[in-house]
Amino acid sequence: MDKHSPEVVTAIRAITTASNLCQKVRMDLAGRESILKSDRSPVTIADYGSQAIICKFIKQAFPRDTIVAEEDSKELRKPVHSKILKQVTYYVDKSIPGSSTEALCSWIDFGSKVVADRFWALDPIDGTKGFLRGDQYAIALALIENGFTKLGIMACPNLYLDKDRPDGKKGCLFLALRGKGSVQIDIDGGQQRSLSVSRINDPSEATITESVEPDHADHLFHQRLAKKLNISKPRLQMDSQAKYGIVARGEAAIYLRVPSPSEPNYKEKIWDHAAGSIIAEEAGGRVTDIFGHGLDFSCGIKMEKNHGVVVTNGILHDVILEALKV
Ligand code: AMP
Ligand code: MG
């Protein structure tokens, strides 16, 4: 697979179109409206719109492929949510003219919860809480064949392109192909650069990145680990898989995700890690769980065989795994 493969071309078109929809929703008041799903995580107009668009593009190009995706249209179709459905239709129609309500619900439902030998893992908006707060979020899509991620693509519409200009232009598209490296593309087109992780080999000089949400990771444990390794730089808290991009760009050498004490047995979802992990790996990083096991995307929607996640620049990986042993 190379950057001209139909998979890559389709994935870029799908993600870019979805990303534009998300940014439009964010800029409008509509971004504030959300439905609480049964697990109480907020899901917005943009989540649904993004999933509808990406599923439509993928299914159109690859009708036989499975897409494992976070959302379905069950809640959205309820009469109580008719206003939200109308808004989703409005935004999807702007991206794909002529989209009907029924069509977009059927596109959302191309999403399945069962993995296959070859499947796409999609998080239409990763970090919905960040999206609602106006912080970081990502649209993440990966192609997995026989358990191995072949392609990862992620849009981070609110992420600065250049670390030296954090208030400068925003909107990054990350793309990784197995064996071919990782690149960052300006989402508006144009500028492209290949990515590589930091070369730091002294853990005390490293920056750790972690979730913003305290329920998603054990911040206290991360803090203790930082102290143990004499890390004095403040931890960089960021929503979504943008953290993988930050490691791939060399801005943080470590991304820690030790399960939070509020949910110590939490099993990570494949769509939260498939795209991000190949982006960090292809930039030279290493990704495992906290016991050093490789992430297994073949068990189903949950990564049943893994516990937490550790991402590093590779050089520091064994040191971190050792320090994690208490
Ligand atoms: P982040 O922005 O890195 O905190 O990750 C956001 C993702 O965390 C969401 O997409 C959820 O699927 C996932 N999530 C939800 N609950 C938990 C939990 N208890 N532990 C870890 N991740 C979680
Ligand atoms: Mg997510």
Side-chain angles (χ1 to χ4, degrees):
M1 195 177 290
D2 61 38
K3 64 181 181 180
H4 304 295
S5 305
E7 284 87 347
V8 179
V9 174
T10 305
I12 291 179
R13 273 187 62 211
I15 288 273
T16 314
T17 311
S19 168
N20 287 340
L21 176 143
C22 294
Q23 283 299 76
K24 273 195 205 107
V25 175
R26 246 270 25 105
M27 277 180 241
D28 297 348
L29 285 174
R32 290 197 198 142
E33 232 165 306
S34 66
I35 302 173
L36 278 182
K37 287 190 288 189
S38 52
D39 66 357
R40 304 198 64 74
S41 63
V43 60
T44 66
I45 296 157
D47 294 71
Y48 288 124
S50 170
Q51 178 156 327
I53 287 170
I54 295 170
C55 285
K56 181 191 187 311
F57 276 89
I58 299 286
K59 271 284 175 188
Q60 200 166 305
F62 307 101
R64 299 208 317 233
D65 280 2
T66 297
I67 308 165
V68 176
E70 186 167 14
E71 314 301 343
D72 62 58
S73 75
K74 199 165 153 244
E75 283 296 316
L76 187 62
R77 286 177 192 264
K78 290 184 178 165
V80 58
H81 296 312
S82 62
K83 201 175 140 210
I84 291 191
L85 180 56
K86 219 171 142 191
Q87 285 175 312
V88 180
T89 312
Y90 167 80
Y91 284 102
V92 174
D93 183 64
K94 274 189 153 189
S95 309
I96 306 174
S99 303
S100 69
T101 294
E102 189 45 49
L104 80 86
C105 284
S106 71
W107 299 338
I108 292 172
D109 291 333
F110 284 149
S112 142
K113 293 288 186 285
V114 183
V115 301
D117 287 346
R118 169 178 152 120
F119 71 97
W120 299 80
L122 167 66
D123 197 339
I125 290 197
D126 182 34
T128 313
K129 288 174 183 165
F131 175 80
L132 291 169
R133 261 192 264 107
D135 291 335
Q136 292 307 323
Y137 67 98
I139 300 137
L141 179 67
L143 176 63
I144 297 160
E145 284 179 6
N146 303 315
F148 292 99
T149 314
K150 291 285 167 67
L151 154 71
I153 177 160
M154 172 170 82
C156 297
N158 216 15
L159 185 66
Y160 47 92
L161 282 157
D162 180 352
K163 75 164 174 21
D164 296 324
R165 289 188 297 135
D167 297 322
K169 195 159 184 245
K170 289 175 178 174
C172 308
L173 196 64
F174 294 94
L175 171 69
L177 293 173
R178 183 64 68 199
K180 304 260 166 67
S182 289
V183 293
Q184 175 183 290
I185 307 164
D186 178 340
I187 216 162
D188 298 328
Q191 297 279 29
Q192 175 170 328
R193 67 171 165 118
S194 53
L195 301 177
S196 53
V197 294
S198 94
R199 305 312 302 159
I200 284 175
N201 58 12
D202 177 352
S204 70
E205 290 171 16
T207 297
I208 295 176
T209 181
E210 64 183 12
S211 289
V212 173
E213 296 294 328
D215 286 345
H216 293 177
D218 191 341
H219 287 170
L220 205 61
F221 192 99
H222 296 177
Q223 191 185 355
R224 273 193 257 120
L225 189 116
K227 206 168 163 205
K228 199 165 156 182
L229 296 169
N230 292 318
I231 295 176
S232 55
K233 288 191 182 142
R235 299 194 310 284
L236 177 61
Q237 295 196 334
M238 195 176 267
D239 297 287
S240 85
Q241 287 169 72
K243 291 186 281 298
Y244 281 104
I246 288 296
V247 174
R249 293 201 315 204
E251 288 163 43
I254 305 165
Y255 162 21
L256 286 181
R257 198 177 184 92
V258 174
S260 158
S262 66
E263 232 178 310
N265 295 318
Y266 181 81
K267 291 292 167 198
E268 299 286 339
K269 306 272 176 41
I270 55 174
W271 51 69
D272 284 331
H273 298 282
S277 58
I278 184 174
I279 289 162
E281 284 171 349
E282 284 297 324
R286 207 175 139 197
V287 184
T288 66
D289 69 3
I290 64 168
F291 301 122
H293 302 134
L295 303 189
D296 189 334
F297 300 118
S298 66
C299 313
I301 62 167
K302 289 183 184 174
M303 289 154 52
E304 300 284 358
K305 294 192 185 143
N306 295 115
H307 192 67
V309 175
V310 179
V311 186
T312 70
N313 64 350
I315 305 167
L316 295 176
H317 210 83
D318 290 335
V319 177
I320 302 302
L321 291 179
E322 199 50 42
L324 280 163
K325 293 180 189 160
V326 254

